[in-house]
Amino acid sequence: MDAPAAVYRPRNPQSTDYYHCVEDHLDNFIQIYEERFEKTYGFFRPYLQKVIYRYLDCGDLHNGFARVKCKGCNHEYLLAFSCKRRHFCPSCHQKRVVEFGEWLCVNVLKKVPHRHFVFSIPKILRRYFLYDRKLLHDLSRCAWEALKVFLQEAAYEKNSVPGAVIAIQTFGDLLGFNPHCHILITDGCFYGKGMFRVAPLLELKKLEAIFRHKVLCMLIARRKISKEIVTMLSTWRHSGFHVFCGNRIQPKEDNAIENLARYIIRASFSQERMQYLADEGTVVYSAKSSKLRKVFDAPEWLAAMCSHVPNRGEQTVRYYGWYSNVARGKRQKLAEEGAIPCIIESDRTPAACRKSWARLIQKIYEIDPLVCPKCRGTMRIISFIEDREIIKAILSHLGLWLIRSRPPAKAHAPPIREYATDSFCHSAFPDHAAQGDPDYSWDAYIAT
């Protein structure tokens, strides 16, 4: 017999180790941050507190929800609103990752060869970027200018220009602060009206030297370092600067280019590699590519996480050259963008890609959240519930209303939690055979 089809099951972030760690130690973390963590993880930004509180409300039915109902059998479930925060909320950030991969392939990238570059800097310089996040934009500009010089020389065409998408990442394998640039760039230059000339393989040592020079000049201009430090760095056998170059990605490799687009803005941590020991008040985090593990006390874990959260409105992805916003806008205004034969065609509008949370779930998990688990009919969103009194009335009727009451968390004792004891569980589909969605959710942008 065929196995039963998997059905979508809304997530329950309150049951995860990550949520418990944040909830148990948030108050203590805020109180001791300046004394314990400011020197290591930078200044405490007031915006971080808002991000954390929004995360604690993410996926909680008490803060509002949408009603999703089947047209055939009238089966219904509630879909909680999400916080839409970057990096700190793994569910909301993962939705952003998938949306970005699709949007980049549909609206920006052309059907030409691309390469993946990574530009990194030595440890001695990283602290300047920790205390002044505006320098991260300058770092991406330095990487772009270094690559632009090399590719234009390789293309040797008049007025040629490459196209680049640069994402700034600040995290290392074990959450250390490590600012570096992930670059998705054309393997050559555009010139004329849509013509493209492929570049030969670049000499990475020369490229690294140019990048190093530009970064040091930038830091001197910003008065972050002195010429004495530059002189000291020049005496090192290994400068600490590094440039990685990936294999060429051919125009027909659509999956490879989309996966790379997702990779360059991935979340700063993985819940699967995290273990929260509530009794001890510690977090054990495992490296992805090795057997290394690092043990944090819970407040330090939160401090490490917060160091990678962008400020409100801070751009972590920038577009240069042929892919810059200005260049794309000019081509659209002159009706040249659509005439270029290398544009990636799509049967979906950008707005549909951004809003169709149901399609994104189906794409990643092969589960359609708008298929009724009872009659296999089509479900639809019938209303959004945001009024506090109506929320309370509905959840009380379903046995889901719960006022959480707990004493302040203790450093070495598990906190007391209260959960609803009614047989109606938070999950819309309590069937244990159903395939769940434990790590990611697409509850944020709900299409009407």
Side-chain angles (χ1 to χ4, degrees):
M1 296 179 61
D2 295 335
V7 296
Y8 173 65
R9 183 172 58 194
R11 63 193 175 97
N12 182 11
Q14 290 79 10
S15 65
T16 64
D17 279 358
Y18 180 50
Y19 188 96
H20 292 165
C21 177
V22 176
E23 184 182 46
D24 294 347
H25 298 274
L26 174 59
D27 294 339
N28 184 41
F29 162 70
I30 294 175
Q31 292 173 4
I32 67 175
Y33 186 92
E34 183 176 356
E35 180 182 351
R36 277 196 59 189
F37 304 122
E38 188 173 281
K39 292 183 179 180
T40 305
Y41 297 104
F43 302 115
F44 185 79
R45 296 166 281 158
Y47 174 65
L48 294 175
Q49 192 167 341
K50 297 180 181 179
V51 170
I52 298 173
Y53 283 134
R54 286 289 299 273
Y55 165 72
L56 292 175
D57 290 337
C58 184
D60 189 347
L61 292 172
H62 294 73
N63 299 304
F65 49 82
R67 294 175 59 196
V68 185
K69 190 173 183 179
C70 177
K71 295 186 292 185
C73 66
N74 292 325
H75 175 70
E76 181 178 338
Y77 70 87
L78 307 180
L79 189 66
F81 296 146
S82 57
C83 66
K84 307 178 182 70
R85 301 300 96 183
R86 293 182 288 175
H87 282 284
F88 198 85
C89 179
S91 298
C92 296
H93 187 85
Q94 180 63 16
K95 178 181 180 294
R96 186 185 297 269
V97 166
V98 178
E99 287 178 335
F100 174 78
E102 287 194 344
W103 181 84
L104 197 67
C105 292
V106 172
N107 296 277
V108 180
L109 303 182
K110 306 303 179 184
K111 284 288 187 178
V112 296
H114 288 81
R115 284 190 187 272
H116 175 214
F117 284 86
V118 182
F119 286 70
S120 56
I121 60 177
K123 291 182 179 180
I124 194 174
L125 300 179
R126 295 174 188 175
R127 58 179 178 172
Y128 303 110
F129 298 85
L130 176 64
Y131 285 94
D132 186 357
R133 297 187 66 90
K134 293 181 181 179
L135 293 177
L136 295 174
H137 164 60
D138 297 324
L139 183 65
S140 69
R141 171 63 65 175
C142 292
W144 158 247
E145 291 177 351
L147 275 171
K148 180 182 176 183
V149 169
F150 260 69
L151 289 173
Q152 285 181 330
E153 182 68 21
Y156 60 85
E157 295 288 350
K158 185 177 181 181
N159 298 324
S160 62
V161 60
V165 180
I166 301 183
I168 293 290
Q169 291 186 3
T170 60
F171 52 90
D173 203 15
L174 292 173
L175 291 182
F177 191 82
N178 177 20
H180 56 283
C181 298
H182 282 269
I183 305 174
L184 184 54
I185 191 168
T186 56
D187 194 16
C189 291
F190 295 94
Y191 65 97
K193 293 188 177 181
M195 302 299 291
F196 183 83
R197 183 179 293 278
V198 177
L201 187 64
L202 305 182
E203 297 184 51
L204 295 185
K205 284 297 181 183
K206 293 183 179 180
L207 180 60
E208 177 187 303
I210 293 179
F211 173 64
R212 174 179 175 273
H213 173 75
K214 290 186 175 295
V215 170
L216 294 178
C217 288
M218 180 270 293
L219 291 175
I220 290 176
R222 298 291 184 271
R223 298 182 178 180
K224 300 298 180 180
I225 61 175
S226 63
K227 293 183 179 180
E228 287 74 17
I229 293 181
V230 175
T231 303
M232 179 192 68
L233 291 175
S234 64
T235 62
W236 290 6
R237 181 178 179 183
H238 301 289
S239 68
F241 290 86
H242 181 70
V243 175
F244 164 83
C245 176
N247 295 327
R248 177 179 293 167
I249 304 175
Q250 299 298 340
K252 294 183 179 180
E253 298 181 75
D254 295 333
N255 290 336
I257 201 73
E258 185 172 345
N259 289 337
L260 180 56
R262 297 179 191 176
Y263 176 79
I264 65 176
I265 67 161
R266 70 191 188 278
S268 55
F269 83 110
S270 169
Q271 288 191 88
E272 296 177 354
R273 293 188 275 132
M274 170 200 177
Q275 182 183 9
Y276 171 50
L277 306 178
D279 292 343
E280 302 174 12
T282 59
V283 173
V284 180
Y285 193 68
S286 303
K288 179 180 180 180
S289 56
S290 67
K291 296 182 179 180
L292 294 177
R293 299 195 308 168
K294 185 174 181 179
V295 179
F296 300 82
D297 63 54
E300 184 182 6
W301 162 264
L302 294 178
M305 287 292 303
C306 287
S307 68
H308 306 302
V309 176
N311 289 323
R312 183 179 181 86
E314 180 181 336
Q315 299 297 320
T316 58
V317 180
R318 298 183 180 274
Y319 306 87
Y320 296 96
W322 192 265
Y323 291 159
S324 69
N325 296 333
V326 173
R328 288 188 285 120
K330 288 181 178 179
R331 292 197 297 270
Q332 290 176 355
K333 187 176 182 179
L334 297 174
E336 295 179 353
E337 186 81 342
I340 299 175
C342 60
I343 290 180
I344 298 176
E345 299 292 339
S346 175
D347 57 354
R348 297 186 179 93
T349 64
C353 288
R354 289 193 295 269
K355 293 182 179 179
S356 182
W357 63 274
R359 182 181 58 78
L360 293 177
I361 295 175
Q362 188 175 14
K363 180 176 182 179
I364 299 300
Y365 298 105
E366 299 182 356
I367 299 173
D368 191 345
L370 295 182
V371 171
C372 179
K374 292 188 176 181
C375 69
R376 313 305 298 170
T378 301
M379 306 184 77
R380 64 187 181 92
I381 297 172
I382 60 174
S383 64
F384 297 97
I385 310 300
E386 299 178 283
D387 184 87
R388 183 71 174 176
E389 295 301 321
I390 298 177
I391 292 172
K392 182 176 181 179
I394 293 176
L395 296 184
S396 297
H397 174 72
L398 297 175
L400 293 176
W401 182 259
L402 173 65
I403 299 178
R404 303 186 68 175
S405 176
R406 54 190 292 277
K410 298 180 181 179
H412 299 290
I416 300 174
R417 297 188 179 88
E418 296 182 2
Y419 297 95
T421 57
D422 193 278
S423 59
F424 193 103
C425 66
H426 175 75
S427 172
F429 307 115
D431 181 11
H432 295 291
Q435 182 173 342
D437 180 13
D439 292 327
Y440 306 122
S441 173
W442 320 100
D443 305 346
Y445 299 90
I446 303 177
T448 56

